[in-house]
Amino acid sequence: MNATHQDALEGPGNRLPALAESANPLTPQFMYGPEPADSFDLRKIWSAVWRNRLLIALILAASVVLGLLSLFLTDPTYRATASVEINNQPIKVLGTEDFQAVGGAQETDRLLQTQIDILRSRALAERVAADLALDKGTAFLAAQGVEPKAGIKGEQVIGALKDNLVVSLPRNTRVVPVSFDSSDPKLAARVANRYVQNLISGNLQRHFDTSTYSKDFLQKQLQLTKVRLEDSERALLGYARSVGLVDPSAGGGDPNNPNNSAPRSLTSANLIDLNQSLAATRAARIQAEGRWRAASATPTMNLPEVLGNSAIQQMTQRRAELQSLYEQELQRRMPDHPSVKQAAAAIRELDRQISTLASGIRNSIRNQYDITVNQEAQLAGTVSQLKGATLAEQQLGIRYNILKREVDTNRELYNGLLQRYKEVSAEAGATSNNISIIDRAEPPLLPISPRPFVNLTIAMLLGLFAAAAVVLIRELFQDGVRAPDQVEERFGVPLLGHVPRVTGGAVTAAELADPGSHISEAYQGIRASVELSTEAGTPKTMLVTSSRPGEGKSTTALVMARDAAKAGRKVLLIDADMRRPSLHRLLNLRQDPGLSSFLTGQILVESIIHETDTPGLSFIPAGPKPPSPAELVSGAGIRTLLRYLGEQYDQIIIDSPPVLGLADAPRLASIVDGTLLVIEANKSQRGAIDGAVRRLNAARGHIIGAVLVKFDVAKADFGSSYLLDYYGYGDFKDGEAGPGSTAPQAA
């Protein structure tokens, strides 16, 4: 700024008041916390589906087309199924077969799994291929869709059999389905039936081979055991004769009974008999001794044997009768009367007889005790003598017992082998089997694949998964703002309004000039929100900026300035974007001279103010592009200019460069009353907007709110569709002015 210009501004009538420096940063009144992390939001999911509905429909249509093509390009496959029953053990034909019982669900499942593994084995596939002569030609491989190759055709046949065999472990049943897939239904039935037939024949063959081996083995063991038994019997007989031992069990008892307890000699036999008699006599003696001891300690007439004697009972009853008669006589006669004396004599006689009989019973108990004592003593002496003879004989019986046990062991082994040989010989010709055919395979009438309904369902499901994956990827990489409520949720900046997107292109001047148009109504709502954004009303000086160029900040600044002027205010619009100015073109005015001319001191402030077609609206263009725009807006000149112009205008609106990458906007934001951030829907990246907000806050700029421009309801989250009818967005058609763009975007 030159000296002349400075003097003009500081003259008596044009002196600029000093711009107060604020020590405290200006912060927005409405601050929001971080965006809540919703783990599952059905509304957002439906919004994503609605936004990508055309892409989803295209993917589903392509999936259905591919599913239909698969029906025509895939050869039909037929599945023939035979079923067999697998029991835990074979049916006993003779009733003597010895099979290992399978118990428990786990063992049954193991048995079934074993048979299924046999069905899947290579050996069984080779037998099926040999029985049906499948390797004699190419018909089988052609039916299975395998191209024959020289030298490995046999392996190809085995591989095709194993690959197309379908068998699985059944649940809660022993019936196993055996299926085979082929393009030839008759061939599928033949192979399935041959599989179950070979399973049964192989099982029978294994049983027969096992029986034959067992029979031969038992026959050899019988011959060896027979020779050993004969040798052991000869050795036992020779030893008994040499020592003079007589075995009483040799001619009696059961020689096949291993528990035979017959005595091994005559001496031991006599000892056993006498010892048993001694035990019985000792028991009788103990019993008799107990009776005698009890009788000795008890009065004779109180002995149980006496009281229980019938003769004593009769005499006792007779005595009671005589006693009664005696007492009656005493009542009528004197004691010395003959009849009284006779009755007394009869009573005394009965008492003598009772006493004599009771004494006899007591003596008999003593005699029985004495007899048992004598018998016990005699038997004990005889047993002692036999014990000595038996001990002497046992020295000779040790070798005899060893030989005897060897004979018994050989006889038991021989008898067991002989019995088992008879059973195996009888079972060798029996064709018992634990596997039986339930159903034989018949040529199927309908193919199992392709199945139209299943193929189309799978195609639809795959299409849904593919569409979900594509939508998820698009949503993850889509970092723009789609809905108005995301501005406050994501960035903590209050939303002052949104401007619809015009489908046909840029908004025309007539659309902006028409106060009843949707674009004008949107900006009028934004202006009203700006007036209510602070307690003091509309900011005196307001900066309009964006995070990146091309988002619509210049148009927003112009429209808001016009609306304010139409409302009767005296408004000044300043184009502070000295790098890429655009407002002069929108207003059809000259760019030079302008703001840069004044800040460099080349011209007076009155020379850069231009009047526009809108009454009450003045405009300061950007001027020539200076070498360093950031230095111009950071000097004291811009502060002095704003204070001076603030006394002449009701509102000053400044269009600044973008925030990111440049220092102009943060420096301008620090000297104005409020900053309005313009965000382009579906384009402005979240990181860029976050960075712009941080830079403005770091510069102590007062962000009064944000404006979402080019808002497309079709791309917004579900729940924003109410704006269609509210603003009349649904009336727009392609090519008409509507929710598509905000005007010719220059910045």
Side-chain angles (χ1 to χ4, degrees), residues 385-405:
Q385 295 176 0
L386 289 177
K387 281 184 179 180
T390 301
L391 291 175
E393 192 179 65
Q394 284 180 352
Q395 296 295 329
L396 300 176
I398 294 175
R399 175 63 180 171
Y400 181 86
N401 291 333
I402 294 174
L403 296 175
K404 182 66 174 177
R405 284 194 296 271

Side-chain angles (χ1 to χ4, degrees), residues 62-85:
S63 301
V64 172
V65 171
L66 292 177
L68 291 174
L69 289 177
S70 67
L71 297 177
F72 298 100
L73 298 179
T74 305
D75 294 332
T77 300
Y78 296 88
R79 174 173 293 178
T81 303
S83 59
V84 294
E85 180 186 6

